[in-house]
Amino acid sequence: MCMALAVWLFWWQPSRAVSALMVLAAYVGVCLHIWHHHRKHTQPSAAALAPGSLLIGYASQGGQARDLAERSAEQLRAAGLTVDVRPLSAVDPIALTKQRRALFILSTYGEGEAPDNAARFEQRLLQQKLDLSDLEFALLALGDRQYAHFCGFARRIDARLRALGALPLFDRLEADRADPGTLRHWQHQLGHISGRSDFTNWQPAPYQPWRLQTRTLLNPGSQGAPVYQLTLCPQGEVPQWQAGDIAEVGPRHDQLEVDQWLRQLGVDPAVAVDGEQTIAAALAARRWPAERASLQGCDLDTLLTLPPLPHREYSIASIPAEGHVRLLVREARHQDGRLGLGSGWLCRHAELGRSIDLRIRSNPSFHGVDPLTPMILIGNGTGLAGLRAHLRERATTPGSRNWLMFGERNAAHDQLLREELEGWLHAGHLERLDLAFSRDQTEKIYVQHLLRDAADDLRQWLNEGAALYICGSLEGMGREVQQILSGILGDAQLQALAEQGRYRRDLY
């Protein structure tokens, strides 16, 4: 093209001024063409994501979201995941159509505005009609409640992703001025995503001492893992909390194992440190490396620098009026048969009367609605804990309408809290109780099947203003309930219910 232009200019003989201008214009045009061609072919490769990677996109005005994105990536990479961290300015919304999972950590600037590095991403996401039905995502929103449009930008992105068919792994977390409890919960959820819970808390939980008062096996003879009901009493005045709040527990290793590890290192477990506490007691709450032999020869001060164990989270099944925190905990085991850290501590190793490190974390996204608002509660397994707290809270106000759908394995062994639920049903506090026991018939029936079969009644309750609360496992129940609700109600109505605070989930 350039050669043809030069030949044409050679044979045509206008005035020198005009000729010079035309040559200059031709040169500029050629340069623009080359620049546009280069830009067109380099932009997609810059936005390409590594195949199989987990995307963490952040929107940051002052650097906080970026820092949390990098910390999140570090935790996930330690669990063996491939992670791609980038600002939203370097994320093409079209690329999300090929992404299986993505995490977003989004700050809101001023009165609900997008940070500078995210405004173009939001504009393109709102304009483009994408199919994100294959995308699972989670969103951490950072904001300040002093502003009228708290987390406004993050809420818009969350709503748009859902509208395009993306499935939230769990409901949006909103951290008011980097609330430490919310950030610990985000870390806890990252542990579920990666399948690794041996992380170090970014900010330690300020635990209080609680006494383990009772521990009762609820499902003797069950085909599943044992489920225990525990009650813990505060050592002092009963603090206040609401149904939906979370107990953060500081777990400990089995003391006999810690003693054995120390003896293998040539350390006397009974050596006193920090006053009257023994080195064994101090290290029971610390993270030990997988290769404990690496600690051989370390002095006591070095051993005491091991990081604290990460917290464990459990839905609270009681309300303050009962005078204690009630938990439903299922024993978890690793593939090699070892007990899980948190459940092993609470269900087996901690002695009755023992002091337990516990902190109550507010969980506003799962707090209840007005008692006069009808409530539909759906859950399985130990998810009954969070639902039981709502039913107990609403029992203090006569006349509330409540419908519980709950699933477990066998009616003979797994009817958790059977007497209490049947008592509420007979008293009218539960207007309806639907139970699914998956192993009691040839074809397995789960709670999501109850939901599907009750579609007409569900629509009727929602038309009468009911709120929909779901608590239990994300895998299986949580995903399938979401899909069935989308089929019954449509994504638009489900999103509208969420925006009205009438559709809330607490999944793990």
Side-chain angles (χ1 to χ4, degrees):
M1 184 188 72
C2 296
M3 181 61 69
L5 178 63
V7 170
W8 179 77
L9 288 172
F10 176 82
W11 287 106
W12 188 52
Q13 296 291 327
S15 66
R16 289 186 178 182
V18 173
S19 178
L21 287 173
M22 292 186 67
V23 170
L24 179 61
Y27 176 79
V28 171
V30 170
C31 291
L32 287 173
H33 174 79
I34 294 173
W35 174 81
H36 178 74
H37 182 269
H38 175 75
R39 183 174 182 268
K40 179 180 178 181
H41 287 80
T42 56
Q43 273 193 320
S45 60
L49 299 169
S53 65
L54 187 153
L55 168 67
I56 300 182
Y58 65 87
S60 187
Q61 192 69 26
Q64 186 177 64
R66 177 177 181 173
D67 177 63
L68 292 174
E70 294 291 352
R71 290 190 182 193
S72 299
E74 182 180 356
Q75 179 176 327
L76 294 171
R77 286 171 182 148
L81 275 64
T82 301
V83 184
D84 191 335
V85 181
R86 58 179 64 190
L88 286 189
S89 58
V91 177
D92 185 348
I94 295 177
L96 298 179
T97 61
K98 300 178 181 179
Q99 199 70 12
R100 191 176 73 86
R101 280 190 173 178
L103 308 180
F104 297 94
I105 301 178
L106 309 180
S107 293
T108 292
Y109 177 63
E111 288 293 350
E113 301 169 22
D116 294 340
N117 73 339
R120 188 167 183 269
F121 173 87
E122 180 182 19
Q123 183 181 34
R124 296 173 67 186
L125 187 68
L126 293 174
Q127 292 174 347
Q128 295 172 340
K129 295 182 179 180
L130 306 174
D131 179 6
L132 300 184
S133 56
D134 291 332
L135 176 69
E136 296 177 335
F137 77 98
L139 194 152
L140 172 63
L142 307 177
D144 188 335
R145 289 195 183 276
Q146 294 183 11
Y147 291 94
H149 301 287
F150 174 64
C151 290
F153 164 64
R155 291 176 178 180
R156 294 195 302 272
I157 296 297
D158 182 46
R160 182 57 178 167
L161 291 172
R162 292 173 187 247
L164 294 173
L167 177 67
L169 290 164
F170 47 88
D171 287 347
R172 178 183 66 249
L173 298 181
E174 297 182 341
D176 179 20
R177 288 174 285 184
D179 170 59
T182 305
L183 298 185
R184 282 195 300 273
H185 185 47
W186 174 258
Q187 275 198 276
H188 181 80
Q189 296 289 25
L190 294 180
H192 284 302
I193 291 172
S194 65
R196 285 271 299 273
S197 56
D198 55 339
F199 55 87
T200 300
N201 286 326
W202 297 332
Q203 293 177 300
Y207 297 121
Q208 292 85 39
W210 291 64
R211 181 170 53 86
L212 179 58
Q213 185 176 37
T214 66
R215 179 167 53 210
T216 306
L217 179 63
L218 295 182
N219 62 341
S222 173
Q223 297 177 17
V227 174
Y228 288 89
Q229 177 175 261
L230 302 97
T231 58
L232 300 103
C233 297
Q235 297 184 16
E237 186 177 349
V238 178
Q240 294 300 303
W241 70 86
Q242 293 180 241
D245 285 345
I246 300 295
E248 296 181 345
V249 173
R252 290 176 176 267
H253 298 292
D254 179 9
Q255 198 66 61
L256 294 178
E257 288 188 352
V258 176
D259 291 351
Q260 180 183 359
W261 298 340
L262 286 170
R263 290 192 181 99
Q264 290 174 352
L265 296 177
V267 177
D268 181 359
V271 171
V273 295
D274 189 22
E276 298 181 355
Q277 188 180 39
T278 66
I279 184 65
L283 295 182
R286 301 279 177 170
R287 281 184 60 194
W288 288 66
E291 297 296 330
R292 297 186 184 92
S294 64
L295 299 176
Q296 197 73 43
C298 289
D299 57 25
L300 296 184
D301 289 338
T302 301
L303 291 175
L304 290 172
T305 62
L306 291 173
L309 287 169
H311 73 285
R312 295 294 186 268
E313 297 189 352
Y314 301 95
S315 297
I316 299 176
S318 55
I319 60 175
E322 296 176 84
H324 59 253
V325 159
R326 182 184 303 196
L327 305 178
L328 303 183
V329 181
R330 188 186 300 275
E331 279 189 3
R333 289 188 179 271
H334 299 285
Q335 291 183 351
D336 60 5
R338 291 180 300 111
L339 280 168
L341 181 62
S343 65
W345 168 241
L346 290 174
C347 298
R348 296 295 182 100
H349 304 320
E351 300 174 358
L352 292 179
R354 178 70 184 265
S355 178
I356 303 293
D357 291 335
L358 186 147
R359 174 187 182 274
I360 294 176
R361 176 176 62 78
S362 178
N363 186 25
S365 64
F366 205 64
H367 284 170
V369 290
D370 185 278
L372 298 181
T373 298
M375 181 178 276
I376 305 167
L377 305 108
I378 302 172
N380 70 334
T382 56
L384 183 59
L387 304 181
R388 190 265 178 190
H390 281 292
L391 289 169
R392 184 65 179 81
E393 187 173 74
R394 290 166 68 83
T396 61
T397 303
S400 65
R401 297 183 61 203
N402 305 290
W403 174 6
L404 173 63
M405 285 182 265
F406 177 71
E408 253 292 352
R409 286 177 174 80
N410 300 106
H413 304 287
D414 299 296
Q415 289 206 48
L416 309 181
L417 309 183
R418 174 180 178 177
E419 292 183 2
E420 184 172 46
L421 295 180
E422 290 183 347
W424 279 339
L425 182 63
H426 294 150
H429 179 51
L430 270 175
E431 185 172 318
R432 181 168 173 174
L433 175 61
D434 294 349
L435 301 175
F437 295 101
S438 59
R439 312 300 169 87
D440 282 352
Q441 57 283 312
T442 304
E443 185 178 355
K444 293 180 180 180
I445 298 176
Y446 296 102
V447 69
Q448 49 265 35
H449 299 140
L450 300 180
L451 179 64
R452 178 196 60 198
D453 296 341
D456 291 339
D457 293 335
L458 175 75
R459 294 189 191 96
Q460 181 63 35
W461 275 62
L462 293 175
N463 289 338
E464 294 170 358
L468 187 58
Y469 278 56
I470 303 170
C471 190
S473 60
L474 170 65
E475 300 295 337
M477 188 277 293
R479 298 184 195 283
E480 294 190 25
V481 164
Q482 172 84 11
Q483 292 170 357
I484 289 175
L485 286 172
S486 296
I488 294 174
L489 305 174
D491 292 334
Q493 184 179 355
L494 203 56
Q495 178 62 24
L497 290 172
E499 292 172 354
Q500 297 164 16
R502 294 170 56 203
Y503 176 47
R504 304 191 181 198
R505 307 185 309 159
D506 187 9
L507 303 175
Y508 43 84

